[in-house]
Structures are given as structure tokens and as C-alpha cells.
Amino acid sequence: MPGLSRPLPADAFLREETYARTRLPVSLASTLIPDAYTSPEFLQLERERVFGTSWVAVASTTGLERPGDTLVTEVAGQSLIITRNAGGALRAFHNVCRHRGARLLDPGPCHLERYVKCPYHSWAYDLDGTCLGTPLFGEDSEVPADQRGIFDMDDASRFDKAEHGLLPAAVESWGCLVFANLDPQAARLAEQLGDLPDRLAGYRMDEWTVARSRTYDIAANYKLIGENFMEYYHLPWVHPGLVKVSPMKAHHRWQGAGMYTGMCTSPIAANTEQGGWQGLPPISGLSESDATSARFAWLFPNTALNVLPNHVFVMIAEPISAGHTSERTYLLAHPDSVAGPGAEQAIDELAGFWDAVNREDIAIVERVQLGLGSLAYTGGRMCYRFEEPLHRFQNMVADRMLGIRRIPPGDAEYESEMFPAQ
């Protein structure tokens, strides 16, 4: 806002007037204040109010299919254990022992045969989080047989194992993604996704599996990665290869009701010498529109979903600091598309094309992050034709920072041309 000095005090981030210019209609609006991308205090509040109250994508379902498959990850700075129990249901728990608070598992994937055991005092918990006992909970106790009586807790006064299970967190899956939510009062994932599952139903999203993955360290705020993803404005200057297979004239708004921004390219153009999206055969059963289009959705707060007839590309942007993001990417393929000869080469070519596009985006958002450090810059006017999705997303962020819960509506028209013929 005019007249505001930078950096702003933390309490300003919780006041409506701080977002006044972003709250204007998109044809008049300006971007979020630069502090939203550079201030550690803003990020701390954002972790609590945005990531701490939202369904956050944490992984692909690949690697979490079987009972005992486990992933240790973070949401809003909190370490979570995501696992499948003996019945195949997803469960999530805070990665902390109920005894003395030790970290139970190290970050990353693992497989648990029957239980989680604390490395400190050997308290153990089953895959539903139930406390099994301390430490003589099974026949395989590591305590010598002649000393086991010393450790027997069966007669401990007022100790009920049922009251000392792992602390749960909400977890659900949709399609090829697993989501977690730290909010004990969280509504179901379906409310946040809105109509997106229906819009993507023809792609059979739960059948795709990871074919390639890669992680990028990016010297930029996670929101810059998302906002770059949401708009076509930069394509001719930043993506000379992408714009050939995603022509400007083929861009459409594809925005429904839900906590996401949506757009599409229809039809997709053929590959060029610089690569493209074709190669693998498309899956069967798609409608004519789905079979010729690329659907793009940014799932609030931090996940890009690129859905094409023959592959899916996912980007999960995890904020490490105000100016640093770890981006995990997954290239997913469908069993229908990888059964034929040449599939591995086609996957490699798709992965190479996405990597080239992603590196072009990384270079430009890192330049934006550097520019946002200028004390002379206080925010920029939005280009309404191209940047309406940014306006939508930034107002979602402002809502959560202010403690407002609401789901943005969609467009009256299912799909509309961005550049109609004159």
C-alpha cells in the first residue's frame, strides 16, 4: 500500500488493509505485498494459517500402496508419518513418541512390518497408532529374558495404553496424490477440491503410477513458482519450446468451484524438434475433449497438476524459507500407455521436456525473488486478461492469513477461450 514502509511488522500481515490492493477486482488489482515473498515472519504465519489449515499434497500414492508402506514428510514444519495399516487404509501421525518426545522415524520412505518402535525407550505403536506397550510388548523383546520382569509395565498405576497412542493427523487420497491436514477441525478433502475430481474423472486419476521423479532446489518463494505456473503471459519470452506445443491461441480458462486455479491448452500441438507432450499413447476411454487437451490445475496451497491424455506431471513446492523452495516433481504414466515397445524412451523424452521447461521457469522466478528485495518495489498492477488465476490464488492466501474460510466459485462457462477470434 502507498506509504507503507518495508519490511512491515508481523501484525500487519493479519490486517485486512494490508491486502486492500489485492482485494480489488482483477482489472484494478495489484499483487500481494513483496513482504509476502521475502519476510520470514510472513512465512511463519503462513505456515500456521495457510499450510496448517489446508489439505496439503505430500506425495504420490506410488510407494504407499501396501500395508506397512510408510513415508515420513513435513507439513507446515511438522514431521508426519504417513502409512497404510494392516487393512490397507491410510493413516497419519505426528512423528513423536508419547513417552519423552523422541523423533520416531527419519525423513523419507520406509516399510514397517508391524509397528513403529521408538529408538529411545522402545515404546511401540501399531500401524493404527495404538500404543502396544513398554517395552515388553512382544515375544521379540531385546531385553534379556532374565531381566524382563524389571521392565514389565502391566501393573503401572493409572497407565492406560489406550490413552498413549500416537497423535493423529488427517490424511486422505485423491487420484494419484496423498494429502495431509494438521487442522483437527478440518473438513473433508472433497470440500477443498470442489468440482476438480468430476472435471478430471475421465482420466481415471487413481490408476497412474510414478515413472520418474526429480527434486529441484529453487531460490524463490513457493508462491512465485505457483503464480508462474498459473499464467500464460510469460510463455513467448521464457518458453520458446513450450509455446510451440502449447500455442497461445489454444489457451482456455478452465475454472471451477474449489480451492484451485484451472486452465487448459486445447488442442495440444504436435511435438517439435525441441520436444513436446506426445510420445506415449493416450489412455483409453477419454472423451474427445480430454483426448486432445492438457489440463492444468494449481491445488491450493502448493501443488501443480498437469494432466494430459498420456501422462501426468506433478510439482509439489515445499517452502523451506521465505526465499527458498524444495520442489518435488513426479512424472506419472498409466499402465495402458507403457505396455508397448519404446515406452521407456518416450518416458525419458517426456521427462527431458518437462525438465527443460521447469529449468526455464526456475531461472525466471529466481530473478523475480531477487527483484522483490528492492525496497522501492511495493507491488505491481495485474494484467487482468492473463493474471486472473493469480488474483484468485492470492486472495485465497489473504483469506487464510485473515482467518477466513471460503471456497471460490467457478466460471459460468465450463471452458472459455482466452483469445477469442476478433
Side-chain angles (χ1 to χ4, degrees):
M1 296 177 65
L4 286 179
S5 61
R6 292 181 57 193
L8 295 176
D11 61 353
F13 304 141
L14 306 180
R15 297 199 297 262
E16 179 69 54
E17 59 265 27
T18 301
Y19 308 98
R21 293 193 299 177
T22 305
R23 295 300 210 183
L24 295 172
V26 64
S27 60
L28 301 171
S30 294
T31 58
L32 285 172
I33 56 172
D35 299 66
Y37 306 88
T38 61
S39 166
E41 290 77 16
F42 190 97
L43 177 61
Q44 181 57 42
L45 289 168
E46 198 172 19
R47 280 179 169 153
E48 298 170 9
R49 291 173 169 254
V50 175
F51 284 82
T53 65
S54 301
W55 285 99
V56 178
V58 293
S60 164
T61 51
T62 300
L64 287 168
E65 302 101 332
R66 302 171 300 146
D69 284 353
T70 301
L71 176 69
V72 180
T73 188
E74 283 197 1
V75 173
Q78 300 299 302
S79 181
L80 295 181
I81 299 170
I82 312 291
T83 191
R84 285 208 184 262
N85 68 7
L90 280 171
R91 294 287 185 264
F93 309 100
H94 290 267
N95 187 15
V96 58
C97 182
R98 292 297 306 278
H99 175 216
R100 294 267 293 281
R103 179 68 56 89
L104 294 168
L105 297 174
D106 294 330
C110 64
H111 185 81
L112 302 173
E113 290 299 333
R114 289 184 295 157
Y115 50 77
V116 183
K117 185 169 71 170
C118 178
Y120 196 4
H121 297 95
S122 221
W123 281 39
Y125 309 86
D126 70 15
L127 301 186
D128 281 308
T130 302
C131 180
L132 297 175
T134 66
L136 302 179
F137 59 88
E139 296 179 358
D140 59 346
S141 173
E142 298 171 359
V143 178
D146 63 349
Q147 299 179 36
R148 291 181 183 179
I150 299 172
F151 292 91
D152 191 350
M153 295 288 291
D154 287 343
D155 62 349
S157 61
R158 297 188 301 280
F159 182 82
D160 185 350
K161 287 184 288 188
E163 297 176 354
H164 294 81
L166 294 179
L167 300 168
V171 63
E172 292 192 41
S173 65
W174 165 67
C176 54
L177 292 173
V178 176
F179 297 79
N181 196 319
L182 298 179
D183 186 355
Q185 308 302 320
R188 299 300 299 271
L189 172 63
E191 179 178 298
Q192 183 167 315
L193 293 175
D195 64 1
L196 187 61
D198 289 338
R199 285 177 165 243
L200 295 175
Y203 293 94
R204 310 198 306 272
M205 294 293 291
D206 59 336
E207 299 176 10
W208 302 80
T209 58
V210 174
R212 300 287 187 274
S213 62
R214 186 182 293 244
T215 299
Y216 300 85
D217 289 320
I218 305 174
N221 186 272
Y222 86 95
K223 292 189 292 298
L224 294 181
I225 298 165
E227 291 164 10
N228 177 79
F229 172 85
M230 295 171 206
E231 50 96 344
Y232 299 126
Y233 195 9
H234 69 285
L235 262 62
W237 304 280
V238 177
H239 298 302
L242 178 59
V243 79
K244 293 178 181 178
V245 300
S246 182
M248 298 297 287
K249 64 182 180 181
H251 292 164
H252 295 72
R253 285 175 57 83
W254 191 72
Q255 183 58 70
M259 295 291 284
Y260 71 95
T261 68
M263 56 191 180
C264 69
T265 298
S266 184
I268 303 165
N271 288 8
T272 70
E273 68 281 358
Q274 294 172 284
W277 289 327
Q278 299 181 359
L280 288 176
I283 66 171
S284 60
L286 292 173
S287 68
E288 181 178 356
S289 177
D290 286 348
T292 57
S293 300
R295 314 293 190 189
F296 308 105
W298 182 265
L299 312 182
F300 185 85
N302 68 327
T303 301
L305 192 60
N306 305 267
V307 182
L308 292 100
N310 62 345
H311 71 280
V312 172
F313 189 70
V314 176
M315 301 154 33
I316 300 177
E318 179 187 353
I320 304 302
S321 66
H324 179 206
T325 300
S326 177
E327 181 187 83
R328 287 172 285 128
T329 68
Y330 305 98
L331 176 63
L332 297 101
H334 192 278
D336 287 357
S337 298
V338 298
E344 285 300 307
Q345 180 179 344
I347 291 171
D348 284 341
E349 290 172 354
L350 283 169
F353 184 72
W354 278 112
D355 179 62
V357 170
N358 206 33
R359 290 183 186 280
E360 290 167 350
D361 283 327
I362 289 169
I364 201 65
V365 299
E366 289 184 338
R367 291 181 72 92
V368 176
Q369 185 72 38
L370 289 172
L372 290 173
S374 169
L375 296 179
Y377 180 78
T378 59
R381 183 72 173 266
M382 289 189 183
C383 184
Y384 72 94
R385 171 176 281 186
F386 305 99
E387 295 178 323
E388 187 279 335
L390 276 71
H391 185 255
R392 178 182 175 92
F393 170 73
Q394 291 183 0
N395 276 278
M396 292 184 203
V397 172
D399 277 351
R400 289 300 175 95
M401 292 295 284
L402 297 170
I404 300 169
R405 302 288 188 97
R406 57 185 166 198
I407 306 296
D411 295 340
E413 188 175 1
Y414 179 80
E415 185 176 311
S416 58
E417 293 181 76
M418 288 286 293
F419 309 101
Q422 300 298 319

